[in-house]
Each structure stands twice: as structure tokens, then as C-alpha cells.
Amino acid sequence: ASLEKLMDTADAKAAFHKFLKKSYEHTQLDYWKESKKLSFMEAGEQEKYAKEICVQFLGMTASEASALSVAQVTKKGAEFYKVLANDAFPRFVKSKSCDPVVDLLLGDTSRIDASAGLIWSKYK
């Protein structure tokens, strides 16, 4: 599974967000998700929303946020995604916090457990 795929499932997204909240990294995820919305907006809306994202998630003042272009805000979102995908996501997958997500994605695991009978009995 990839981080992008994980974001398609509401329960998985919530579990990852909760995991990130423990280490105060959830704002990176929120910033990335909001910055993705910019590509679907008209130019004037993009500039206004980009400033709002910076104020809300980066703690910038409105004047500081005004100095950034939409491209810079989008680039920062891509940087956050890269950090999340290469660092936080692997830690999440290895943690117990991911167990409910695995159960959700796999569904009924009794079939998987039953596959043990398919292995040659003398195989060690």
C-alpha cells in the first residue's frame, strides 16, 4: 500500500492522522491534503486559499503568507508528502496503529489462516 492509496480510505486516513498526532506531524498531512485542492481551483481562489493554508498550518501571519506564490505553497505540500511517504508512513505501517487498517483492507482473514494447510507438512 502507498500513502496515496491510504488517503482514499476514510478510516485509514483517520488512523494515520491519529498516529501522526502523537508526534505532532499531523499538520504536515493536513497541509498536504489542503494544498492538493489548489489544482482544482480558479487562479483567484488559489491565491486566497494558498494564503489561508499557510496561516492555518504553518502559523504564518497573513502578510508573510502573501509573500508566497501558489507554486511555492504547492511545492511545500509536495515536500511534506515526500517526508510523510518516506518517513512517517513506514513507521505507521510497522506500528500497532496500522493493525485496524490492515484488518479493514484485508477483510476476512480466516481464508488466509486456512492457507497454512496448503503448505507441505514436512516443510520447515
Side-chain angles (χ1 to χ4, degrees):
S2 69
L3 178 56
E4 193 82 41
K5 269 285 204 215
L6 183 78
M7 294 298 104
D8 291 340
T9 308
D11 291 340
K13 188 186 324 181
F16 187 51
H17 193 271
K18 183 177 178 182
F19 172 80
L20 291 174
K21 212 167 191 171
K22 294 175 189 172
S23 58
Y24 304 101
E25 296 173 285
H26 61 287
T27 53
Q28 292 178 349
L29 179 64
D30 295 336
Y31 182 100
W32 170 69
K33 287 188 310 187
E34 295 305 313
S35 69
K36 284 182 57 172
K37 294 177 182 177
L38 291 170
S39 63
F40 300 104
M41 297 178 177
E42 305 260 335
E45 290 177 344
Q46 282 182 333
E47 291 172 16
K48 182 179 180 233
Y49 198 65
K51 290 172 189 161
E52 290 174 14
I53 292 169
C54 292
V55 169
Q56 183 176 357
F57 299 110
L58 299 180
M60 298 176 101
T61 64
S63 59
E64 291 171 332
S66 295
L68 296 176
S69 69
V70 172
Q72 289 171 310
V73 173
T74 303
K75 183 179 177 187
K76 184 60 131 176
E79 290 170 10
F80 282 154
Y81 176 80
K82 188 174 181 179
V83 170
L84 291 168
N86 293 325
D87 178 49
F89 182 63
R91 284 187 288 119
F92 172 69
V93 169
K94 293 176 186 175
S95 75
K96 292 279 184 196
S97 300
C98 190
D99 290 349
V101 176
V102 172
D103 292 341
L104 175 75
L105 295 175
L106 290 178
D108 182 19
T109 58
S110 62
R111 282 192 44 207
I112 295 170
D113 296 338
S115 66
L118 298 175
I119 298 174
W120 180 46
S121 62
K122 294 184 181 179
Y123 180 77
K124 293 182 182 181

